[in-house]
Amino acid sequence: MTNGSTPTVLPAGELHGSLGDPLMEVMNFLNEITSRYPEAISFGPGRPYEGLFEVERIGEYLAAYQRHLVEDLGRTPDEVRTLLFQYGRTNGQIHELVARALRNDEGIEAAPESLVVTVGCQEGMFLVLRALFADPSDVLLVPSPCYVGITGAARLLDLSVAHVPEGPQGTDPEVLRRTVAELRAAGKRPRAFYVVPDFANPTGTCMPVEARRRLLELAEEEDLILLEDNPYGFFTRTGTGLPTLKALDERRRVVYLGSFAKTCFPGARVGYVVADQEVEAADGRRTLLADELSKLKGMVTVNTPALSQAVIGGMLLTHDFRLREANKPAADFYQENLAVLLESLERLLPRERREAAGIGWNVPDGGFFLTLTLPVPADNALLEESAREHGVIWTPMNYFYPDSEGGRCQLRLSLSYLTPQQVAEGARRLVGLLERSCL
Amino acid sequence: MTNGSTPTVLPAGELHGSLGDPLMEVMNFLNEITSRYPEAISFGPGRPYEGLFEVERIGEYLAAYQRHLVEDLGRTPDEVRTLLFQYGRTNGQIHELVARALRNDEGIEAAPESLVVTVGCQEGMFLVLRALFADPSDVLLVPSPCYVGITGAARLLDLSVAHVPEGPQGTDPEVLRRTVAELRAAGKRPRAFYVVPDFANPTGTCMPVEARRRLLELAEEEDLILLEDNPYGFFTRTGTGLPTLKALDERRRVVYLGSFAKTCFPGARVGYVVADQEVEAADGRRTLLADELSKLKGMVTVNTPALSQAVIGGMLLTHDFRLREANKPAADFYQENLAVLLESLERLLPRERREAAGIGWNVPDGGFFLTLTLPVPADNALLEESAREHGVIWTPMNYFYPDSEGGRCQLRLSLSYLTPQQVAEGARRLVGLLERSCL
């Protein structure tokens, strides 16, 4: 910069409103405290455990995908080069492989052309919201508490969001029905409901099969699209798990948001959307919602990186399109962590003692998360004390309430990123905190 | 699906308005005709030439990046695994490497923390538009004709767009000034101007240095942000090329949109934004625009895939942070194609003959594109005839006019994706078409 020239300063108030929304910075305190207390045991991040990743296998997966292109699909070396290096099909090049895995793992029958391979599940959520929301009266329904990725994406697009309080078994379709009725009475149009039926983030709740069926009926009656997000379904204590909404969906009410972040690895940033709904133009021509999402994706990321698709494709091929089986070691690992956590809490805080103090927790059947309820606010001040004095970090549940109101005396414990030894020691430290603050 | 259940059909009119905008489908006819006439020589796609890509080098680049992490940065094997497999820093992990290359190749001094590594330049454009546009009165200015990626991204966000007609030397700052004045008079707020100063897509025009300086002054006077997109700057006949706006930018008026699609390879989907503007909150706290973009990126793609970043990082390391030198073979290749095209056209359509017929073309100093002007409409009907009868494909220039009005008798010839032999034969076929239609 030359002397005397004044650099541009942009007033924050002139930037898009989302940038000033506390929602977009909700995780900042957690990230900041994690970096200030690096030695603390952190029940914070919802990341998969890294001990099962192997760097040297990247080359093997890439090679497996290239073999598939040549041997199974008869591609020439020049065509393989094009597929790996050049701009590619907007909706992805591994859609057929993903469709095969979906059939094996979830019993979901999805035509490959109804799939959009996205840059992580996050891009999928973003594209679906952009496609479905057109009118200012359209409202997105989300559970409360809720994963911030969906509310954040909605905020970027200036969408209206309404909250549906969760119960101990996740969303109660009757509560959703009442919210829908209230919105209609207020002149709004409930358009879609975002839901994580299996081991929801942040609560760890799981919807019973009967509630899933009633949710699908309600969607049909109320003309709602269900946005089913399923990152944790494989990680269940009960073996096979419950059928997804999409597997039960007979009327294409469900847009399925898939992720390989937890079942393969997050760094690939590969997710997908099953968007098999038909879209009818004024002239009667029909397309798939996936085709419409393609137009949007072309203007957001053009296409999902070929290299990432190739590695994930190679993993699907290597595991014979059965990721649930391939994830058995990971599922066992998370289940051990969950068992260690529950057992530690139970041992350190037997029922009588915790009930007298007003402490409790839910007992998820799987997933990455558990909800702990305290008799005192689980706020940033307590988190700071927890990290500094007791060496243990967790996430205030209030972070996940879209209206910033609920969950003031609850916290989320994530057990995916720790070893069983760390979980046990973390539980001990956590109870140390509770002994100081509320026992 | 069970018998008797009626699948959901979504009326297209209830989806977001962008999906019904002809802008989003403008390239469909071109894509469709290319697939119907696969044997035709295509001057259509603006893709880089593939003959210089080498599949076997992917592993080498990955290894080079891993060596860098271990040997230069002292990362442990566990940390390397985390960097390659886990969720990563939102704004990227190769920002320091990119900053070094920018200094060497463009003389742009960008602090690494002012960079956002994006999923292709397209995501960069999208994030910058989302951040900068807040109020319904904010207007994005674009040249006319214009790359559809920027107008498409603006359409997704429902932004107002105004067009600034290009001259033979790209944007004339005085024309931009008049457009800005007109917008202000109409109560609008001109917020940013998108510009490709070097070998613009679609026209191939290049802004002289003096016009670049005047554009920067105008931006300062009119409080405009300049969005400089520079995918083609390396591919010049004149050796070093002209300084970018960002290299001349003394007041941080320029947000620089960088791409590795043409200088490394498109399949990586790695681009970047230099967003070194300061943002001041109401309480006086300052951040960089890059920090604000990070909040948005977290809700669109979370982070750019680690594998793609690792390969591009490895390429930067392998080429000693000098992509301009590494791209000499590619630049020579494109220049030969341009020379062959110009020489073929000149030989087949000598000045007297073409002037009598009202045919002309510009003579770009580089880049991927050339504009051909005809005395007849260069429309879909002529394109269809061209592909069917003459075996040559091109892009109607009208596709690139945001208002669908201009360029009716012009076409874009892209020479990046063909061999010199194909270019010569393509020119011969093209003149065959012209002989039938307008000579």
Side-chain angles (χ1 to χ4, degrees):
Chain A
M1 197 165 308
T2 354
N3 278 339
S5 59
T6 318
T8 306
V9 176
L10 304 170
E14 295 181 3
L15 301 182
H16 187 251
S18 62
L19 292 166
D21 194 314
L23 166 72
M24 306 292 277
E25 302 202 64
V26 80
M27 292 297 188
N28 275 9
F29 188 78
L30 180 66
N31 292 336
E32 189 248 328
I33 207 157
T34 304
S35 68
R36 271 197 290 136
Y37 300 101
E39 299 304 316
I41 289 177
S42 181
F43 289 107
R47 302 176 153 206
Y49 180 62
E50 296 172 3
L52 302 168
F53 299 154
E54 297 164 282
V55 172
E56 47 286 355
R57 299 208 70 177
I58 292 177
E60 292 172 33
Y61 295 133
L62 269 176
Y65 184 67
Q66 288 181 58
R67 269 198 312 279
H68 164 69
L69 293 177
V70 173
E71 294 171 14
D72 302 341
L73 304 184
R75 302 288 196 178
T76 66
D78 276 3
E79 288 169 340
V80 171
R81 188 179 59 187
T82 298
L83 284 166
L84 289 178
F85 282 101
Q86 197 53 272
Y87 292 105
R89 181 175 174 274
T90 307
N91 278 359
Q93 58 180 263
I94 59 168
H95 49 305
E96 298 188 8
L97 308 185
V98 175
R100 287 181 68 175
L102 261 178
R103 187 179 312 122
N104 291 336
D105 285 331
E106 303 287 5
I108 294 174
E109 294 288 340
E113 61 270 23
S114 71
L115 265 76
V116 187
V117 182
T118 52
V119 182
C121 187
Q122 186 67 39
E123 191 196 22
M125 294 195 293
F126 190 81
L127 298 176
V128 171
L129 291 184
R130 174 66 308 172
L132 290 180
F133 288 76
D135 191 271
S137 70
D138 291 343
V139 177
L140 171 68
L141 295 141
V142 301
S144 178
C146 183
Y147 172 55
V148 295
I150 189 78
T151 41
R155 185 65 189 84
L156 245 65
L157 295 169
D158 295 313
L159 306 186
S160 298
V161 175
H163 316 133
V164 183
E166 260 204 357
Q169 294 191 311
T171 295
D172 178 339
E174 289 313 309
V175 177
L176 176 61
R177 186 190 299 276
R178 283 199 297 274
T179 312
V180 166
E182 286 162 19
L183 287 167
R184 287 207 204 286
K188 302 288 188 184
R189 183 193 182 196
R191 179 68 161 141
F193 176 57
Y194 170 85
V195 60
V196 184
D198 289 287
F199 318 123
N201 180 4
T203 52
T205 56
C206 190
M207 286 182 76
V209 177
E210 192 43 40
R212 296 176 194 221
R213 293 193 195 280
R214 281 191 292 128
L215 183 58
L216 285 161
E217 282 163 23
L218 177 65
E220 183 67 19
E221 288 161 23
E222 296 287 354
D223 194 19
L224 287 178
I225 299 293
L226 300 177
L227 311 179
E228 180 179 34
D229 188 4
N230 182 24
Y232 312 108
F234 286 3
F235 308 119
T236 163
R237 294 201 285 184
T238 55
T240 55
L242 301 178
T244 61
L245 290 170
K246 189 63 188 166
L248 299 170
D249 178 26
E250 296 178 348
R251 295 169 185 250
R252 306 195 196 175
R253 277 282 152 201
V254 179
V255 172
Y256 185 83
L257 300 159
S259 169
F260 291 113
K262 280 79 186 182
T263 56
C264 291
F265 62 99
R269 309 298 315 117
V270 177
Y272 57 94
V273 180
V274 182
D276 57 2
Q277 287 71 24
E278 289 201 312
V279 174
E280 185 169 86
D283 63 5
R285 273 187 309 161
R286 290 201 176 187
T287 56
L288 288 175
L289 182 57
D291 302 320
E292 303 300 312
L293 296 178
S294 173
K295 297 181 199 169
L296 303 178
K297 181 166 169 63
M299 301 304 174
V300 177
T301 59
V302 181
N303 58 253
T304 299
L307 222 50
S308 288
Q309 291 190 69
V311 172
I312 297 297
M315 290 182 83
L316 294 174
L317 287 155
T318 301
H319 299 304
D320 197 26
F321 308 101
R322 291 171 196 280
L323 283 185
R324 196 182 282 271
E325 275 175 46
N327 271 277
K328 188 73 173 45
D332 288 347
F333 178 86
Y334 297 129
Q335 289 317 311
E336 184 183 353
N337 276 358
L338 183 54
V340 167
L341 181 59
L342 289 168
E343 186 274 327
S344 301
L345 290 174
E346 186 67 44
R347 183 168 39 76
L348 297 165
L349 296 170
R351 179 173 300 273
E352 250 179 69
R353 187 175 185 212
R354 68 175 181 261
E355 287 185 350
I359 297 171
W361 53 83
N362 62 348
V363 181
D365 274 333
F368 284 16
F369 309 109
L370 179 144
T371 304
L372 189 68
T373 304
L374 307 185
V376 297
D379 54 13
N380 283 354
L382 191 69
L383 173 55
E384 169 87 41
E385 181 190 336
S386 180
R388 190 184 61 236
E389 304 295 330
H390 301 274
V392 61
I393 290 173
W394 35 266
T395 312
M397 190 61 84
N398 177 252
Y399 287 9
F400 302 100
Y401 277 78
D403 56 3
S404 306
E405 287 306 316
R408 295 208 178 276
C409 295
Q410 292 188 314
L411 54 89
R412 184 188 81 171
L413 296 179
S414 170
L415 40 79
S416 54
Y417 196 61
L418 301 172
T419 62
Q421 296 72 32
Q422 289 172 316
V423 170
E425 172 61 17
R428 203 189 57 74
R429 296 183 184 185
L430 190 64
V431 172
L433 169 75
L434 301 185
E435 279 170 347
R436 289 285 297 242
S437 59
C438 53
L439 276 168
Chain B
M1 197 164 311
T2 353
N3 278 339
S5 59
T6 319
T8 306
V9 176
L10 304 170
E14 295 181 5
L15 301 182
H16 187 250
S18 62
L19 291 167
D21 194 314
L23 165 72
M24 306 291 278
E25 302 202 64
V26 78
M27 293 298 189
N28 274 9
F29 189 78
L30 180 65
N31 293 336
E32 188 247 329
I33 207 158
T34 304
S35 69
R36 270 199 290 134
Y37 299 101
E39 298 304 314
I41 289 176
S42 180
F43 289 107
R47 304 177 151 203
Y49 180 60
E50 297 172 1
L52 303 167
F53 299 154
E54 296 164 283
V55 172
E56 48 286 355
R57 299 208 70 178
I58 292 176
E60 294 173 33
Y61 295 133
L62 268 176
Y65 184 67
Q66 288 180 60
R67 269 199 311 279
H68 163 71
L69 293 177
V70 174
E71 294 172 12
D72 301 342
L73 304 184
R75 302 287 195 179
T76 66
D78 276 3
E79 289 170 339
V80 170
R81 187 180 59 187
T82 299
L83 284 167
L84 289 178
F85 281 101
Q86 197 53 274
Y87 292 105
R89 180 175 175 272
T90 307
N91 277 359
Q93 57 179 265
I94 59 168
H95 49 306
E96 297 188 7
L97 308 184
V98 175
R100 287 180 68 175
L102 261 178
R103 187 179 310 124
N104 290 336
D105 285 331
E106 303 287 4
I108 294 174
E109 294 289 340
E113 61 270 24
S114 72
L115 265 75
V116 187
V117 182
T118 51
V119 182
C121 187
Q122 185 68 38
E123 192 198 21
M125 294 196 292
F126 190 81
L127 297 176
V128 171
L129 291 184
R130 175 64 310 170
L132 290 180
F133 287 77
D135 191 272
S137 70
D138 292 343
V139 177
L140 171 68
L141 294 141
V142 301
S144 178
C146 184
Y147 172 54
V148 294
I150 189 78
T151 41
R155 186 66 190 83
L156 244 65
L157 295 169
D158 295 314
L159 307 186
S160 298
V161 175
H163 316 134
V164 183
E166 262 205 353
Q169 294 190 311
T171 295
D172 179 338
E174 289 313 308
V175 176
L176 176 60
R177 186 190 298 277
R178 283 199 297 275
T179 311
V180 166
E182 286 162 17
L183 287 168
R184 286 207 203 287
K188 301 289 188 184
R189 183 192 182 197
R191 179 69 161 140
F193 176 57
Y194 170 85
V195 59
V196 184
D198 290 288
F199 318 125
N201 179 6
T203 52
T205 56
C206 189
M207 285 182 75
V209 176
E210 194 41 40
R212 296 177 192 222
R213 293 193 195 279
R214 282 191 293 128
L215 183 58
L216 285 161
E217 284 163 22
L218 177 64
E220 184 66 19
E221 290 161 21
E222 297 286 353
D223 193 18
L224 286 179
I225 298 293
L226 300 177
L227 310 180
E228 179 179 33
D229 187 5
N230 182 26
Y232 312 109
F234 286 4
F235 308 119
T236 163
R237 292 202 285 186
T238 55
T240 56
L242 301 179
T244 61
L245 290 170
K246 190 65 189 163
L248 298 170
D249 178 24
E250 296 179 348
R251 294 169 184 253
R252 306 196 196 175
R253 276 284 152 201
V254 179
V255 171
Y256 185 83
L257 300 159
S259 168
F260 291 113
K262 280 79 186 182
T263 57
C264 291
F265 63 99
R269 308 299 314 118
V270 177
Y272 58 94
V273 180
V274 182
D276 56 4
Q277 288 71 24
E278 289 200 313
V279 174
E280 186 170 84
D283 62 5
R285 274 188 309 161
R286 289 200 176 188
T287 57
L288 289 175
L289 182 58
D291 301 320
E292 303 300 313
L293 296 179
S294 174
K295 297 181 199 169
L296 303 178
K297 182 168 169 62
M299 301 303 173
V300 178
T301 59
V302 181
N303 58 252
T304 299
L307 222 51
S308 288
Q309 292 191 68
V311 171
I312 297 297
M315 290 182 83
L316 294 174
L317 288 155
T318 302
H319 298 303
D320 197 26
F321 308 100
R322 290 172 197 282
L323 283 185
R324 195 182 283 273
E325 275 174 46
N327 270 276
K328 188 74 172 47
D332 289 347
F333 178 86
Y334 298 130
Q335 288 317 312
E336 184 183 352
N337 276 359
L338 183 55
V340 168
L341 180 58
L342 289 168
E343 186 275 327
S344 301
L345 290 174
E346 186 66 45
R347 182 167 40 75
L348 296 165
L349 296 170
R351 180 172 299 272
E352 248 179 71
R353 189 174 183 217
R354 69 178 182 257
E355 287 184 349
I359 296 171
W361 54 83
N362 63 346
V363 181
D365 273 333
F368 283 16
F369 309 109
L370 179 144
T371 304
L372 189 68
T373 304
L374 306 185
V376 297
D379 54 12
N380 284 354
L382 191 69
L383 172 55
E384 169 87 42
E385 180 188 337
S386 180
R388 189 184 61 236
E389 303 294 331
H390 301 275
V392 62
I393 289 173
W394 35 267
T395 312
M397 190 61 84
N398 178 253
Y399 286 9
F400 302 99
Y401 278 79
D403 56 2
S404 306
E405 288 304 317
R408 295 209 176 275
C409 295
Q410 291 188 316
L411 54 90
R412 182 187 83 170
L413 296 180
S414 170
L415 40 79
S416 55
Y417 196 60
L418 301 172
T419 62
Q421 296 71 33
Q422 290 171 316
V423 170
E425 172 61 16
R428 203 188 59 72
R429 295 182 186 185
L430 191 63
V431 172
L433 169 75
L434 300 185
E435 280 170 345
R436 289 285 296 243
S437 59
C438 52
L439 277 167

